Amino acid sequence: MSFGSVIRERRTALGIGLNDFAERLEISAAYWSRIERDQENPPRDELIERAAAILGVRMDDLFVEAQRLPPDMRKDMAKVVQAYRRLRSVGKG
């Protein structure tokens, strides 16, 4: 599932209208509609974090859907890669 479709599915499940959601994010509904329809790339980090809070989902999950590391993990990129490689090697052994 794409970032936009995950957001749209959760938003509609919670009964939050597009205009209300965009207003809470302090952006235009037209821009957010394009994101949900995958006509725009996932938004900047701050909007992903705020969307997660509004939707009651884990911020990390939305960053994964956006195919992006959460900001706090980017600072430790080497450790993230090493941890990933260790986990992958354990699964193969």
Side-chain angles (χ1 to χ4, degrees):
M1 209 180 256
S2 69
F3 177 83
S5 59
V6 166
I7 294 284
R8 182 177 50 245
E9 184 177 285
R10 178 69 178 166
R11 178 182 59 72
T12 57
L14 293 172
I16 302 171
L18 176 66
N19 290 329
D20 181 35
F21 192 69
E23 188 176 305
R24 292 185 198 186
L25 291 173
E26 300 176 351
I27 59 169
S28 78
Y31 170 64
W32 197 259
S33 176
R34 289 191 306 272
I35 288 172
E36 288 190 0
R37 291 180 288 130
D38 299 315
Q39 295 176 342
E40 294 272 354
N41 290 326
R44 64 187 187 270
D45 294 348
E46 174 192 333
L47 289 176
I48 293 175
E49 291 171 8
R50 288 170 38 201
I54 293 167
L55 298 173
V57 297
R58 288 176 1 113
M59 182 181 64
D60 288 352
D61 293 341
L62 286 189
F63 276 101
V64 168
E65 292 299 333
Q67 297 183 349
R68 200 181 301 165
L69 283 174
D72 62 322
M73 293 181 125
R74 289 181 211 150
K75 296 173 191 164
D76 295 324
M77 181 66 78
K79 291 178 185 174
V80 170
V81 171
Q82 289 169 356
Y84 172 80
R85 297 290 182 213
R86 275 194 303 275
L87 284 171
R88 294 282 298 184
S89 69
V90 168
K92 291 180 182 180

